[in-house]
Amino acid sequence: MNDLQAVLLGLIQGLTEFLPVSSSGHLVVFRELMGLEQSLFVVVALHAATLASVLIFYRLRVLALIGGMARGDRAAWLYVAKLALASVPVVVLVLLLGDRLDEPLRSPRVAGLGFFLTGGLLWTTRRTLGAAHGSEPGWAAAWWIGCAQALAILPGVSRSGSTVAAALALGVAPAAAAEFSFLMSVVAIAGASVRELARMGDTGPLVNPGALALGVLAAFVAGIAAIWLFVRVLRTRHFYRFAFYVWAVGGAFLAWLVF
């Protein structure tokens, strides 16, 4: 992996991890088009960079939750408990299926079809976004948002897109939906990193440390920019327009695979 490939990979990871367009799907497309074998070490490093992006962007909220829990604040404990509940479906899915997830996660055709599913989920926000006013998810809503996150384990299905679409449909206000989705991602991204670390015995091709550093920096900066853009677009009520992009990518990629 050279410097340019590393930066491109970092930008793709950072932007698509948080924009509702599916990072896993874009990485499958990138791997197919570039013929690049991705090292597990690179995967973990880029996940760590995007995890840092969330923690930096929502640092005030994270510190407030930590401080509230330390003081025994009931609201802080309840919110964190809802984040934990929302993380249960994807944890159970990974524990039940384990390595059997690897084949669909790397399948180009599954990724192409997943883009179309993501577009459909985003399209529903045309009607739900204006009617969503809840300050935070309830217990049932947190569970169903977590189920939407579990669906996003498939390549091409956006984690942020599916969870926010679910939250809006369940009446959670846009800003609160985005915050809950991105704070949920801390658990999801950390869990994905741990899973990859457990398989680090075969790390794949050797990685140039300088190229890796560039990729990590690109992922970190792009991640912060993507979260900011996501929240801004969500407030304009044009969120559903991301559907056109993912449908175009999915259609073009499937056509490329066929022809």
Side-chain angles (χ1 to χ4, degrees), residues 52-77:
S53 298
V54 177
L55 295 176
I56 291 296
F57 190 89
Y58 282 106
R59 61 192 179 281
L60 296 181
R61 179 60 166 151
V62 170
L63 290 173
L65 287 172
I66 293 172
M69 293 174 68
R71 294 191 304 271
D73 180 64
R74 185 171 180 271
W77 277 97

Side-chain angles (χ1 to χ4, degrees), residues 67-88:
M69 293 174 68
R71 294 191 304 271
D73 180 64
R74 185 171 180 271
W77 277 97
L78 287 177
Y79 192 89
V80 172
K82 290 174 186 177
L83 290 173
L85 175 64
S87 301
V88 169

